[in-house]
Amino acid sequence: GESVGLHLPTLSVQEGDNSIINCAYSNSASDYFIWYKQESGKGPQFIIDIRSNMDKRQGQRVTVLLNKTVKHLSLQIAATQPGDSAVYFCAETHGGSQGNLIFGKGTKLSVKP
Amino acid sequence: GAVVSQHPSWVICKSGTSVKIECRSLDFQATTMFWYRQFPKQSLMLMATSNEGSKATYEQGVEKDKFLINHASLTLSTLTVTSAHPEDSSFYICSAPPGQGYSSNQPQHFGDGTRLSIL
């Protein structure tokens, strides 16, 4: 599975710009992927998910792209707002059981007003 | 929507104390709940799977006797950190998939975590 880093990568963007957060996953058998947002001192909050039979899914201001060939997942946030500042985690699972939910390292998004 | 509640949100106690953390599903039943641990600036690591009416399943490296899990009802799972020491200080988070059982089609819903500080 993913290794856990000792520090969080940081992405700093200007308010109103688009943000792209990337994630590499390790298990080619993973068939369900989720992006979570975690604000300081809180639990992860669901943003968007995608199954392996899709390569793109859109939500409100967010888009997830899945590239199974290179085992890469990305989260795009349009018109980033200060309230989007948080740590973003991708998570993967396989075998129909979310008990094997494996979280990526996380990326800290900072939005400058 | 589905809500998972954790209590307490913050605990400070002396070394050697046992601490109980509760995880409740507020508007749905959860036969399965998950317990995670998160150290500062790190990702969430699954500790164990809590199963209503049966024994919990622990991940490799997690001490069963140290982290006692009880899932006595369809809406409550508890994690007890026994004889806690400073190295047990961490952010403990529970989650549950909405509805009985779980599948890969619905995301887990997380509680807001419990910050445990052992002096």
Side-chain angles (χ1 to χ4, degrees):
Chain A
E2 289 267 357
S3 61
V4 175
L6 296 179
H7 62 278
L8 288 173
T10 300
L11 174 65
S12 185
V13 301
Q14 203 71 36
E15 181 179 1
D17 287 352
N18 297 333
S19 302
I20 299 177
I21 300 172
N22 297 302
C23 177
Y25 65 93
S26 56
N27 191 341
S28 57
S30 292
D31 56 11
Y32 181 52
F33 305 87
I34 312 167
W35 279 101
Y36 285 97
K37 171 186 180 183
Q38 186 179 28
E39 296 175 292
S40 181
K42 295 189 176 181
Q45 176 188 356
F46 170 80
I47 301 175
I48 192 168
D49 57 1
I50 189 167
R51 283 182 275 283
S52 59
N53 61 350
M54 304 171 68
D55 52 23
K56 181 179 180 179
R57 191 162 187 227
Q58 288 184 295
Q60 189 175 15
R61 278 202 311 120
V62 294
T63 301
V64 55
L65 298 178
L66 174 63
N67 186 330
K68 294 182 288 293
T69 303
V70 295
K71 292 187 285 189
H72 184 267
L73 195 67
S74 70
L75 176 70
Q76 300 178 2
I77 304 174
T80 313
Q81 303 167 1
D84 294 327
S85 295
V87 177
Y88 290 81
F89 291 97
C90 66
E92 60 178 302
T93 188
H94 64 278
S97 165
Q98 283 200 58
N100 294 322
L101 195 61
I102 298 171
F103 281 81
K105 306 181 178 182
T107 297
K108 183 177 181 180
L109 176 64
S110 294
V111 182
K112 295 175 287 186
Chain B
V3 177
V4 174
S5 174
Q6 262 184 264
H7 178 81
S9 57
W10 190 28
V11 180
I12 302 176
C13 57
K14 294 181 180 179
S15 184
T17 306
S18 292
V19 179
K20 180 186 283 188
I21 303 170
E22 294 185 346
C23 180
R24 295 181 184 273
S25 56
L26 295 187
D27 54 359
F28 65 99
Q29 294 181 332
T31 55
T32 303
M33 291 184 177
F34 304 100
W35 286 97
Y36 295 82
R37 180 166 52 184
Q38 184 179 30
F39 291 107
K41 298 187 178 181
Q42 292 192 26
S43 190
L44 283 76
M45 295 295 289
L46 179 66
M47 297 176 65
T49 302
S50 175
N51 303 299
E52 188 268 335
S54 63
K55 291 182 180 180
T57 305
Y58 290 82
E59 294 301 300
Q60 191 172 11
V62 177
E63 301 175 57
K64 301 178 183 181
D65 296 331
K66 176 76 172 177
F67 300 100
L68 301 179
I69 291 174
N70 184 279
H71 195 148
S73 77
L74 288 171
T75 59
L76 174 65
S77 174
T78 60
L79 169 68
T80 301
V81 184
T82 61
S83 187
H85 293 285
E87 59 266 29
D88 298 321
S89 298
S90 188
F91 194 50
Y92 292 86
I93 310 172
C94 70
S95 73
Q100 294 193 19
Y102 56 90
S103 73
S104 61
N105 295 323
Q106 291 184 317
Q108 295 178 23
H109 292 266
F110 287 81
D112 267 343
T114 297
R115 179 142 329 266
L116 177 61
S117 296
I118 308 299
L119 305 178

